[in-house]
Amino acid sequence: MKKSLFVLTAALAFGVAAAQTAAPATPAPANPTPASASAPQVPTLTDVPAGHWAKDAIDRLVSRGIILGYPDGTYRGTQNLTRYEAAVIIARLLDQIRTGEVNPGSIAPGDLTALQNAIQELAADLTALGVRVSDLEENAVSRDDFARLEARVEELATANGDAAAVAGLKSQIDDLTSRVDELSSNYDALRADVDDNASSIAALNDLTVLLNQDILNLQDRVSAVESAQADFVQRSDFDNLAGRVGTIDTRVTNLEKAPKFSVTGTIFAQYGSLGLTSGSTHFDVDRLTRQTFADGAFSSGVNCPPATGTATTPTTFAAIGNVGCVDTKNDFTSGSYINFGVTAKNLTTANGQITVNNAALNFSTSNFFNVAGGNVPVNVSSATVDGTISGQKFDVNYSAYNSKFKFNDYLFANDNDTESVVQRRGVVANITATQLPLQPQITVVAGNARPNPDRSGNNAVLVGNYYGVRASVNPGGIGTVGLSFAQNNGNRTAFGVDYDLGFGAKNAEGNSPFTLTGAGVISIPNTPANFILGGGSFQNAWNNGDKAFFAEGKADLGIVKFGANFRGIMPNFKNGVAGMSANDAAYYGGAANGVKSTMPYGPDQVGYGAGLGTNLGPVALAAFADSYVPYFNGDRNTSFGVSAGASLAGLKLVGFYNRATLNNAVIHVDGNNFAYNSTSPYMDVADVPFAYSSTYGALLRHDGAATNALVKGLNFTTAYARFYDDNVNDFQVYGNYSGSFAGVKIEPFARYHLLTTPNNATVEDNGASVQTYNTVKYGVKLSTQPLAAVPLQPSVFFNIANRITNLGRGVQVNNGTATELFGQTGITFNQFLAPNMKASVGYAYYQGFNVANSTNNLTIGSSASGASATYSAAADRFYSSPFSGGGDPYGGDNLGTANGKAQGVFAQLAWNGLAANYGVFRYTNLNTNATSVAQGFKVSYTFNF
C-alpha cells in the first residue's frame, strides 16, 4: 500500500511540474469552488536543504499549494507518507484541475500511465484490505461473549472451588480481552482507511476519465505529427540554418560597431519688409504681437535699443527685427541660407587610442543682401565631438557666433549672455584626465570676440583673441577645487580659484550637511608695468590688478539651516569688465534694469553676513545680518532682519522686522526704492520679507503649486510694511490663478498697491524719491485648444490688462492719473483648406495716458523683457522701462505728460514650413494727433532634412 501511495504521489508531482512549465493557461470556470477562491499562502519549509535532488520538485508543489508542510514549517522528507496525507494531496490537485489552474492535457503520457498503475495498485490493496476486514468480522468475538464467559467461569469457580483453575481461566480471558481490544482498534483503523481510500478511489476514477480523454487527444496529435513528419526539416538542415543565423548576427554586430555617417540640415529662404508708409515717428510694433502666434514675426524678440529707436545700417531682415521697432529707411531685405551638417559615430584610430562616439560638423551659407547686391559666404557654424582618448572622456565644441563657457562666478562667465552683445567664435574642450595625478577635469577655451554689429552701443567685455584653461580636482571625494587662467590679448590677464566642498554623510538627495563654496580672482590689465618679462614686477601686477573674493559656509542640520559669508569685490567687476564676463554686462539702464549677472555679490564692496532658517514643521523662523563698506572705504551699510510665523496647507504667514543703516543712520532701503524684496532668501537660508530695508510688518502668501495647496493654481500675496524712519506705509495685495473650465484655459490676475507718505508729500531717502500713490492692475488671459468637433478646428485667445495709477490716495485731476490698457485677441484655424495648414488673424491695442515725459516710452518701450510683466500681478508696470523715467521701479510715484496709442492687425499663414506674415500698425500721438502707419510682411520657407 505504501508503495502505491509513493508511486501515485510521484506521478502527481511530475504531472504538476509539467503543468506549471508547459501547459497553456486555461480559463477558470464561471463558478469556482471555494477551494479555489483564494490562493494558498506560500510557506517556507525550513528542513529542505539547498542543493537537495528533490528541492526543485518540492518548491514547485509548495508554490502551487499542493504541499503546505507541517504546522511547525517542516517538510520531514524522510518520514513515511500516510494515506490521509496522500488523500489531501490528491484532493488539492483535483481541485486545481477542476478550476483550470492545472491543465491535465499538459501531463505527459508516461505520467498518465504511472497514475493509472498507481490507481490499479491502490485498488488491489484495498481489495486485499477488504478481505482482511471480512475475516476479522467473521472471526471476531464480541465483548458480550466475553462477559458471558466470565460469568460462567465465576459460577464454575464457586461451584467447584478450584481456585487454580479459575485463575488460569481468568488469565486466558484477560489475554483474549487484550487481543479483542487490539482487534477492535485495528478494525476501526482499517474501516477508516477503507472509507478514506474509497473516497480517494472515487476521485481518482474521475481523474482517470479526464486523463483517458487527454491520452486519446495526445494519440491523435502524435498521429498527425507522424503523418506530417516528411515535411519536417532534418537535423542537418537545422544546424546549417543555425550556423547561417550566427554568421548574420556577427555581421550585424560588426555593422553596429562600424562608423556611421549621416547628413542633416535646413534650407531657409525669406523675403520681407518692415517700414513706415506714412508719418515719421518710430514706434514699437513688437509689443503688439508679444505672446501671440506672431510673436517675433517682425523682430528677433529682444528689446528696442535706447534713445533713437533705429538700428545701424541694416543688412538683413534680422537686423531690423533686432530693433523691434519700425525703421524709416524702408529697406527691403531678402535672401536665403542653407544650414547642413555631417554627423558621424563609432570612429576609432588605427591604434585604438582615440575613439569618437559622436561627431558633427555644421555648415551655413547665406546670400542675404540689400537690393544693391551682396555675397554668398560659406561658414562652419558649429562643430562637436565627444569620445575617449586612451579611455579618458573628452568633448570639443566649436561655435562661430556664441561660444559658451564659464570658469567661475567672477571669471569668464560667458555662458548666458542671451542678447548677444558680444559675438564669440571659439572652441571649448573638456577632458577627464584620469591618467594624470589627482585625475583633473581640464577645460581649455580659445577664440576671438567682437561687439555684435547689430547691438552697437553696448558694453563689449571681450574684444580680440582670448584663451584660457581651467583644471579642477576632487580631493578625497569631498568636492571640487578649480584653478583658472584667462587672457584677452590687449585687455586683461586673470588668475582664479574656485571651490565647492561638502563634508559629512550625504542625505538621500546626495547633499552634504556642511558645505564650503567660494571663488577668488585677480584680473590684471595688460600694461607693460604689469608684465614681468616687460620690465614690470609681481608687486605692480598685484597692486594694479582687480580682485574679487567670496567664501560661503553652510550647515543643514535638518531642523535648522545656517550660512555665513565674507566677500571683497573691487569696482571694476561692474558690468563684467574685470572678469571678462558678458553675463554681467548691463543692457538697459545698468544694474537696475536688465543685468544678466552671475555674481553672487555685487561689485565695490567688502563685507560679511550670516543667515539662519528653521525647518520645524509648520513653524517658520528666519534671521539674517549683513554689513559692508565700499571697497576703497566709505560709509558702512548694515542690515539685519528677522521673521517668524507658520506654514500650513500652502499658506505662509510671517511677521518681520528689518533695520537698514548707512553710517549708522537709518535708511528706508539701500538703492531699492521701497521695492518689495522678491529675490531669493538670504544665502538661500533666511527668508525675511522686505530685506535690506527699515521696515516691520506682516506677509501672507499662498503657493498654488504646493502639494498641499488649498486651491491648486491659485497664488496670492498680502503684504504690509511700514518704513518706520519716515513713516511711509506700503500695502499690496495681488494674486493670479491658472485653471481650465469647459475646455477654456483661464488665467486671471489682479493687483492693488498703496504707498503713503506723511501728508502725501515727497520723501527722499538715500537717493530714493517717492510720494503717495496707488495702483490698480487687473486682467485675464483666455485661450482654447483646437476645437476638433468644429469645422477648420479653430482655437481662440483673448488677453486684456489694465493699469490705473493715481498720485495721492484717490483719483487726481490735472494729469494726476496714469493709465495703461493693453488687449490682444485672435483666432487660428488649425486645419485650413489643406492638412497641416494653419491660418491665423490677430488684433492688438495699447494705449497710455500720462505715462512719461518722453514719447520713447510709447515708441520703444522694452517690449521683450516687459512681455511677462504686462500680465503679471507682482508689478505695477506693463513694460520694463519705468513709465516715470525715475523713482519707484513699480512705475508709480511720478507722472508724465505723454499720451498715445498703438494698434495693429496681423495675420499668418503656415503650411509645412512655409510661413507668410503680414501686419498693418498705427501709432497716434494723442498730444499732437500726429499719426504714423507702418506695414510689415515676411514670407519664409524652412525645410529640414
Side-chain angles (χ1 to χ4, degrees):
M1 183 64 183
K2 292 182 179 179
K3 176 183 177 183
S4 299
L5 290 175
F6 175 78
V7 173
L8 176 60
T9 304
L12 290 173
F14 286 110
V16 171
Q20 284 185 281
T21 59
T26 58
N31 297 298
T33 63
S36 63
S38 61
Q41 295 183 350
V42 178
T44 300
L45 302 180
T46 60
D47 61 342
V48 179
H52 192 277
W53 61 269
K55 180 174 175 54
D56 290 342
I58 294 169
D59 288 343
R60 287 197 296 271
L61 291 172
V62 170
S63 67
R64 293 288 297 182
I66 303 300
I67 292 178
L68 301 181
Y70 288 94
D72 62 354
T74 62
Y75 179 65
R76 305 180 188 176
T78 59
Q79 179 175 303
N80 291 333
L81 181 70
T82 69
R83 295 181 180 88
Y84 298 113
E85 293 166 340
V88 172
I89 292 172
I90 294 169
R92 288 175 184 160
L93 176 63
L94 292 175
D95 285 339
Q96 293 192 8
I97 292 174
R98 183 171 57 257
T99 59
E101 297 178 53
V102 174
N103 183 2
S106 64
I107 303 177
D111 294 336
L112 295 176
T113 302
L115 281 173
Q116 289 178 320
N117 292 337
I119 292 170
Q120 292 172 0
E121 290 185 24
L122 184 59
D125 287 345
L126 287 174
T127 301
L129 186 63
V131 172
R132 291 174 58 196
V133 171
S134 298
D135 291 341
L136 285 172
E137 289 176 340
E138 292 176 358
N139 298 297
V141 179
S142 69
R143 287 189 176 273
D144 292 338
D145 295 335
F146 278 103
R148 287 193 298 271
L149 182 60
E150 285 179 335
R152 179 62 178 163
V153 169
E154 292 291 341
E155 292 176 358
L156 290 173
T158 302
N160 299 323
D162 189 350
V166 171
L169 287 172
K170 285 186 175 182
S171 175
Q172 293 179 22
I173 290 171
D174 291 339
D175 181 61
L176 288 173
T177 300
S178 175
R179 291 175 61 189
V180 167
D181 290 339
E182 182 181 356
L183 288 172
S184 177
S185 175
N186 289 339
Y187 176 82
D188 292 340
L190 287 172
R191 176 56 61 187
D193 286 346
V194 169
D195 293 340
D196 290 340
N197 284 296
S199 175
S200 298
I201 289 173
L204 289 173
N205 285 333
D206 293 339
L207 176 61
T208 302
V209 172
L210 294 173
L211 297 180
N212 285 334
Q213 183 62 44
D214 290 326
I215 289 173
L216 295 176
N217 293 336
L218 288 173
Q219 289 175 345
D220 292 340
R221 292 170 59 187
V222 170
S223 299
V225 170
E226 290 175 347
S227 62
Q229 189 173 12
D231 297 330
F232 289 174
V233 297
Q234 298 300 315
R235 181 68 186 184
S236 58
D237 295 332
F238 177 81
D239 293 341
N240 183 40
L241 180 61
R244 294 175 61 188
V245 170
T247 302
I248 294 174
D249 182 65
T250 301
R251 292 174 60 189
V252 169
T253 301
N254 292 335
L255 286 174
E256 289 176 345
K257 296 180 180 180
K260 296 181 179 63
F261 298 90
S262 60
V263 177
T264 60
T266 299
I267 299 175
F268 175 82
Q270 72 175 19
Y271 179 82
S273 172
L274 181 64
L276 294 176
T277 58
S278 65
S280 59
T281 302
H282 306 299
F283 67 98
D284 181 13
V285 171
D286 200 32
R287 73 169 62 178
L288 296 173
T289 61
R290 283 286 167 210
Q291 301 189 44
T292 72
F293 58 84
D295 196 341
F298 302 101
S299 77
S300 67
V302 298
N303 292 329
C304 297
T308 64
T310 61
T312 56
T313 303
T315 58
T316 69
F317 187 89
I320 297 176
N322 274 342
V323 181
C325 308
V326 177
D327 189 89
T328 57
K329 293 182 174 62
N330 207 12
D331 287 309
F332 282 81
T333 59
S334 63
S336 62
Y337 66 78
I338 299 176
N339 291 339
F340 62 95
V342 179
T343 62
K345 294 183 178 182
N346 303 332
L347 304 179
T348 305
T349 58
N351 59 7
Q353 293 298 302
I354 301 177
T355 298
V356 175
N357 298 328
N358 302 280
L361 186 62
N362 300 305
F363 301 88
S364 65
T365 177
S366 64
N367 67 335
F368 283 100
F369 57 87
N370 293 326
V371 292
N375 53 23
V376 185
V378 177
N379 300 310
V380 177
S381 57
S382 64
T384 61
V385 61
D386 66 79
T388 59
I389 300 176
S390 298
Q392 304 168 109
K393 293 183 178 180
F394 79 94
D395 63 81
V396 180
N397 294 272
Y398 166 80
S399 175
Y401 304 105
N402 193 18
S403 184
K404 294 181 178 294
F405 50 89
K406 178 181 178 179
F407 281 6
N408 66 49
D409 289 331
Y410 290 86
L411 180 61
F412 261 18
N414 298 300
D415 59 339
N416 193 32
D417 51 329
T418 55
E419 297 204 14
S420 301
V421 172
V422 179
Q423 290 183 341
R424 292 181 301 276
R425 174 176 297 163
V427 175
V428 180
N430 300 283
I431 185 171
T432 303
T434 56
Q435 297 181 3
L436 295 180
L438 299 180
Q439 301 182 357
Q441 173 76 34
I442 300 174
T443 299
V444 178
V445 302
N448 182 274
R450 64 167 186 167
N452 189 336
D454 296 330
R455 305 296 298 154
S456 61
N458 293 285
N459 183 36
V461 298
L462 279 178
V463 177
N465 296 327
Y466 67 85
Y467 46 89
V469 60
R470 178 181 182 273
S472 65
V473 296
N474 187 353
I478 62 174
T480 59
V481 177
L483 298 176
S484 304
F485 168 78
Q487 183 164 348
N488 181 203
N489 288 349
N491 182 16
R492 288 178 174 270
T493 299
F495 302 89
V497 60
D498 60 270
Y499 44 93
D500 186 358
L501 308 175
F503 307 93
K506 295 182 179 181
N507 58 21
E509 289 75 27
N511 300 320
S512 299
F514 302 97
T515 59
L516 179 64
T517 60
V521 174
I522 179 170
S523 177
I524 307 167
N526 286 342
T527 60
N530 299 328
F531 285 108
I532 307 302
L533 298 180
S537 65
F538 284 110
Q539 190 64 46
N540 284 341
W542 177 261
N543 292 339
N544 296 329
D546 293 295
K547 308 170 190 68
F549 170 80
F550 83 94
E552 292 184 345
K554 296 182 183 180
D556 186 350
L557 304 180
I559 62 173
V560 64
K561 295 181 179 181
F562 176 79
N565 70 81
F566 177 80
R567 72 270 187 183
I569 318 296
M570 294 186 71
N572 274 339
F573 280 88
K574 182 179 181 180
N575 300 338
V577 173
M580 297 175 282
S581 302
N583 289 4
D584 298 319
Y587 296 103
Y588 307 104
N593 293 299
V595 173
K596 303 286 193 298
S597 179
T598 185
M599 298 184 291
Y601 303 97
D604 193 18
Q605 63 170 296
V606 176
Y608 51 85
L612 178 71
T614 64
N615 183 21
L616 299 172
V619 179
L621 303 174
F624 83 96
D626 189 90
S627 182
Y628 71 91
V629 295
Y631 195 90
F632 295 107
N633 296 319
D635 293 335
R636 177 168 292 278
N637 288 262
T638 301
S639 299
F640 74 87
V642 295
S643 66
S647 298
L648 184 65
L651 286 170
K652 183 175 184 179
L653 174 63
V654 295
F656 59 88
Y657 176 85
N658 296 290
R659 184 176 180 86
T661 61
L662 179 62
N663 199 22
N664 296 321
V666 177
I667 59 174
H668 287 312
V669 57
D670 181 23
N672 288 329
N673 305 331
F674 302 92
Y676 168 67
N677 174 250
S678 59
T679 59
S680 60
Y682 188 87
M683 292 188 66
D684 293 323
V685 168
D687 190 2
V688 180
F690 287 84
Y692 307 105
S693 66
S694 296
T695 56
Y696 61 82
L699 179 143
L700 173 66
R701 171 172 289 166
H702 179 262
D703 182 5
T707 56
N708 59 344
L710 292 176
V711 179
K712 290 292 185 181
L714 175 63
N715 305 284
F716 68 81
T717 298
T718 301
Y720 168 77
R722 179 173 177 83
F723 296 84
Y724 51 81
D725 181 42
D726 289 312
N727 297 323
V728 174
N729 297 293
D730 185 290
F731 173 76
Q732 49 188 296
V733 55
Y734 56 91
N736 67 281
Y737 173 76
S738 179
S740 296
F741 179 75
V744 179
K745 185 177 182 180
I746 304 174
E747 300 174 274
F749 65 93
R751 174 179 178 80
Y752 176 72
H753 184 195
L754 173 65
L755 188 142
T756 63
T757 60
N759 299 318
N760 298 336
T762 300
V763 173
E764 295 185 4
D765 194 296
N766 192 37
S769 177
V770 69
Q771 67 184 103
T772 298
Y773 78 91
N774 67 86
T775 290
V776 175
K777 182 181 179 183
Y778 56 90
V780 66
K781 298 178 68 177
L782 305 173
S783 61
T784 71
Q785 294 295 318
L787 305 177
V790 178
L792 305 182
Q793 297 187 15
S795 56
V796 298
F797 69 90
F798 175 79
N799 309 325
I800 189 168
N802 188 35
R803 174 180 74 95
I804 304 172
T805 298
N806 302 295
L807 276 181
R809 300 172 188 268
V811 177
Q812 305 296 306
V813 295
N814 299 325
N815 297 328
T817 299
T819 66
E820 285 184 292
L821 175 65
F822 188 58
Q824 299 168 307
T825 187
I827 184 171
T828 296
F829 298 102
N830 294 279
Q831 291 295 334
F832 185 73
L833 300 181
N836 301 323
M837 179 178 288
K838 292 184 178 182
S840 305
V841 178
Y843 171 78
Y845 178 88
Y846 170 80
Q847 72 175 27
F849 292 94
N850 298 326
V851 291
N853 295 321
S854 168
T855 59
N856 279 350
N857 188 64
L858 288 173
T859 57
I860 62 165
S862 300
S863 57
S865 60
S868 58
T870 302
Y871 301 107
S872 171
D876 290 342
R877 59 179 172 79
F878 272 17
Y879 296 103
S880 62
S881 298
F883 81 95
S884 59
D888 181 68
Y890 293 114
D893 61 336
N894 293 307
L895 301 179
T897 59
N899 301 283
K901 64 181 179 180
Q903 57 189 312
V905 177
F906 40 93
Q908 183 183 88
L909 185 66
W911 179 70
N912 291 335
L914 176 65
N917 294 274
Y918 178 77
V920 177
F921 310 94
R922 177 187 296 270
Y923 165 70
T924 302
N925 185 327
L926 297 178
N927 290 332
T928 64
N929 289 324
T931 298
S932 296
V933 178
Q935 176 180 261
F937 76 94
K938 180 173 69 173
V939 178
S940 63
Y941 179 70
T942 303
F943 174 73
N944 298 313
F945 61 90

